C-alpha cells in the first residue's frame, strides 16, 4: 500500500483531551467505522495510529447494499460496475423480503456478469465476489486503453466494419474500468476524469461509426484522445493542454462543416472541459515554484 501524508489540526476535547480527525478516504480504505477502537502507539517521537481489529482493512474491500430503491431500478449491471470501478472485492446484496423467484433471477443475472467470480447465498444476503482486475498498474491500463482507441479510430478511418469498431470499444472500456478499479487508494486517476473516462469508449465508437472513412476528422480525434489519455496516465499538464487545444480545433472543424461531422462535437467538448480541469495541479505547482525561487 502506498504511503500518504496529510496535516491535521489538534483540537481540544473537554478539559484534558486532545483530538485529531482522520481523512474520510483513509478511514474508508482501512475499514475504520464510527465506534471502532483505534490503537495509538507512541514510538521514537512518532505516533502510529492503526485499527485495533486487524480484519478492518479486509472488511474495507466489501460493500453492502440494499436491493431496493435506486439499486434495484439501476439493475445488476450498474451494481456490479459501480462496485468494480470503486475497487471493492466483494458485494453483499441484502435480499431480506425479496421473493424466491426474484432472488433466483438476481443470482442468474449476477452469474452472467463477466466481472463476477462467484455468487454465494447467505441467510439474508447474496455474497458476490468480483473478478480481479487485469493489472494493478492503473497508468499502464490507461495507456493500453489509449492504444485500443487509437486502433479503433485507425480502423474507422480506413472504413472498417461496425463490428470491429464495437469490438475495440469493448476492449477499451474493459481496460478503463480496470484502471479505475486499480487506482483505488491512489491519485493516479483524478475524480474529475472518472465520468469522461467511462464514457470515452462509447463516445469515440459512436462518432467513428458515423464518420467511417473520414480520415481528417478521425485522425484529429485520434490526436486528442491520445494526448488526453497519455497526459492522464503520466500526469503531464503539457499533454493535457495539447489535448484541449486539439479538441478545440476538432470542435471548430466539425461545427464549420456541420451535417454528420457534428456528431463529434459533444466528444470534443468533453475532452476540452476535462483536460482544462485536469491541468490545474500543473498550473498551481508552477505558481508555487515561482514563489519559491
Amino acid at each position: 500500500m502506498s504511503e500518504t501524508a496529510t496535516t491535521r489540526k489538534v483540537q481540544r476535547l473537554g478539559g484534558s483531551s486532545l483530538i485529531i480527525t482522520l481523512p474520510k478516504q483513509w478511514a474508508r480504505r482501512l475499514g475504520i467505522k464510527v465506534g471502532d477502537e483505534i490503537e495509538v502507539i507512541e514510538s521514537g517521537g512518532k505516533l502510529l495510529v492503526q485499527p485495533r481489529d486487524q480484519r478492518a482493512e479486509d472488511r474495507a474491500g466489501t460493500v453492502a447494499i440494499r436491493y431496493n430503491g435506486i439499486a434495484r431500478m439501476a439493475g445488476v449491471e450498474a451494481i456490479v460496475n459501480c462496485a468494480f470501478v470503486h475497487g471493492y472485492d466483494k458485494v453483499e446484496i441484502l435480499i431480506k423480503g425479496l421473493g424466491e423467484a426474484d432472488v433466483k433471477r438476481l443470482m442468474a443475472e449476477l452469474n452472467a456478469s463477466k466481472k463476477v467470480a462467484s455468487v454465494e447465498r447467505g441467510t439474508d444476503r447474496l455474497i458476490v465476489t468480483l473478478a480481479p482486475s487485469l493489472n494493478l498498474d492503473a497508468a499502464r491500463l490507461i495507456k493500453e486503453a489509449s492504444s485500443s482507441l487509437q486502433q479503433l479510430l485507425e480502423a474507422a478511418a480506413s472504413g472498417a466494419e461496425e463490428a470491429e469498431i464495437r469490438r475495440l470499444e469493448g476492449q477499451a472500456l474493459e481496460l478503463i474500468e480496470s484502471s479505475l478499479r486499480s487506482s483505488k487508494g491512489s491519485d493516479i486517476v483524478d475524480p474529475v476524469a472518472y465520468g469522461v473516462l467511462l464514457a470515452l469508449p462509447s463516445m469515440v465508437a459512436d462518432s467513428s461509426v458515423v464518420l467511417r472513412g473520414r480520415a481528417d476528422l478521425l485522425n484529429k480525434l485520434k490526436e486528442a484522445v491520445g494526448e488526453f489519455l497519455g497526459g492522464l496516465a503520466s500526469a503531464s499538464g503539457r499533454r493535457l493542454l495539447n489535448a484541449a487545444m486539439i479538441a478545440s480545433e476538432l470542435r471548430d472543424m466539425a461545427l464549420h462543416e456541420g451535417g454528420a461531422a457534428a456528431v463529434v462535437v459533444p466528444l470534443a467538448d468533453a475532452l476540452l472541459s476535462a483536460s482544462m480541469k485536469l491541468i490545474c495541479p500543473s498550473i498551481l505547482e508552477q505558481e508555487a515554484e515561482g514563489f519559491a525561487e
Side-chain angles (χ1 to χ4, degrees), residues 173-245:
L173 179 58
E174 185 175 336
L175 289 163
I176 284 173
E177 288 176 338
S178 292
S179 75
L180 294 177
R181 176 175 175 80
S182 300
S183 70
K184 181 186 178 185
S186 73
D187 57 0
I188 293 294
V189 180
D190 192 295
V192 171
Y194 267 58
V196 174
L197 272 175
L198 288 171
L200 196 57
S202 63
M203 293 182 75
V204 169
D206 290 346
S207 297
S208 298
V209 168
V210 174
L211 298 175
R212 274 182 297 175
R214 287 295 308 273
D216 54 343
L217 291 172
L218 291 173
N219 285 337
K220 182 67 70 174
L221 177 56
K222 177 183 170 184
E223 291 179 43
V225 169
E227 288 297 283
F228 175 74
L229 292 177
L232 191 62
S234 61
S236 169
R238 187 174 298 279
R239 293 196 69 179
L240 288 167
L241 182 57
N242 285 343
M245 294 171 65

Side-chain angles (χ1 to χ4, degrees), residues 85-99:
V85 165
H86 283 83
Y88 290 105
D89 300 315
K90 291 185 178 180
V91 185
E92 294 186 356
I93 302 179
L94 308 182
I95 56 173
K96 186 176 180 180
L98 203 62

Side-chain angles (χ1 to χ4, degrees), residues 94-106:
L94 308 182
I95 56 173
K96 186 176 180 180
L98 203 62
E100 183 64 21
D102 287 333
V103 173
K104 289 183 177 179
R105 177 185 53 78
L106 178 57

Side-chain angles (χ1 to χ4, degrees), residues 132-145:
S133 54
L134 298 176
N135 193 304
L136 295 179
D137 187 342
R140 179 180 174 183
L141 287 166
I142 292 174
K143 291 176 181 177
E144 290 177 3

